[in-house]
Every structure is written in structure tokens, then in C-alpha cells.
Amino acid sequence: MMRAWILPVLLLLCGALVAAGRVADGGSVGAVALLLLFVLLAAVTSPLVFPRSTGAAEARSRAEADGRPVVYWRPGCAYCLRLRLRLGARARRAHWVDIWRDPEGAAEVRAATGGDETVPTVVVAGRAHVNPDPAWVREQLARS
């Protein structure tokens, strides 16, 4: 759980240091702008941007019942963030599994990808798709 917050915390610390340096040089407006940029980057890379994660077993059973995709992801993954942002509000319809919090989910991803933990891995109707096009995932969400 803690490693999911390493990148956002580092971004906040770096932003604070850069902003403090700008203030020391007399550039308070630039310092505020840079600090806001780092806060935005920290927020985007944090787990807070993603829908609430469930366990792999629960996501699988829900997907069988309602036909929605299961998205395996991990915090800090740029491709997962891209998928999440491109899905927009529809992202909440999918079942999200954080592989760093759920060892069973990580094992399922490794089984689907030949031993790697490549994410995002989207499972639709029992078939895994590694780093699929967000438009395709939107189509799958619309079908369910």
C-alpha cells in the first residue's frame, strides 16, 4: 500500500523544494505556479484518480454476473492513467483491481501475460487483453 504513494509524495516534496528555491530568489508568483503544477502531478499519479479497487475474486464474480470488464492496474503506471483518463466517467463501470494490493490479481496478470505484471490488463468474457486501446474498452463498457 505504501509504495502506491511513493511517487505522489516525491512529487510533492520536489515541488515544495523547487517552490522554496523560487521564493528565495524572489519569484513568489512563479513559485506558486510551480507548486500547483507539482500538486496536480501528484494528484494525477496517486491512487485517488482511480475508481475503488476490489479483490480479483470479487471482480471476477461481478464481471461474470454483469458482463463488465475487469481492469488490472497499479498506481504510478502511465498506461493505466492514460486508460483511466480516456475512459472518463465510464471508468467507474469497470471492475478495477490494484495488483499491488491484491496478490491474486497480480498472479492472474502474470498468468495472462506470460509471467510479466504488464498493466493495464483488461479481461472481457474471460479473455485477457494487455494494454488495449481505450476506445475498445469504451466499446466493451457500452455493451455491458
Side-chain angles (χ1 to χ4, degrees), residues 59-114:
R60 213 175 322 108
S61 67
R62 286 182 181 182
E64 289 172 4
D66 61 19
R68 296 180 187 175
V70 176
V71 181
Y72 294 94
W73 71 286
R74 67 173 169 75
C77 169
Y79 299 105
C80 298
L81 180 61
R82 175 182 143 251
L83 177 63
R84 167 62 185 99
L85 294 177
R86 299 266 310 271
L87 290 178
R90 294 183 201 118
R92 300 218 180 269
R93 297 191 66 217
H95 305 289
W96 292 76
V97 178
D98 180 353
I99 65 169
W100 280 0
R101 294 182 74 186
D102 186 12
E104 183 183 345
E108 288 186 26
V109 170
R110 284 192 302 274
T113 61

Side-chain angles (χ1 to χ4, degrees), residues 7-98:
L7 181 60
V9 168
L10 285 175
L11 286 168
L12 287 175
L13 290 174
C14 288
L17 288 173
V18 170
R22 286 287 192 149
V23 168
D25 290 340
S28 60
V29 174
V32 170
L34 280 172
L35 185 59
L36 287 175
L37 176 67
F38 275 91
V39 167
L40 177 66
L41 287 172
V44 166
T45 58
S46 78
L48 300 175
V49 173
F50 291 87
R52 186 173 198 166
S53 289
T54 62
E58 181 180 346
R60 213 175 322 108
S61 67
R62 286 182 181 182
E64 289 172 4
D66 61 19
R68 296 180 187 175
V70 176
V71 181
Y72 294 94
W73 71 286
R74 67 173 169 75
C77 169
Y79 299 105
C80 298
L81 180 61
R82 175 182 143 251
L83 177 63
R84 167 62 185 99
L85 294 177
R86 299 266 310 271
L87 290 178
R90 294 183 201 118
R92 300 218 180 269
R93 297 191 66 217
H95 305 289
W96 292 76
V97 178
D98 180 353

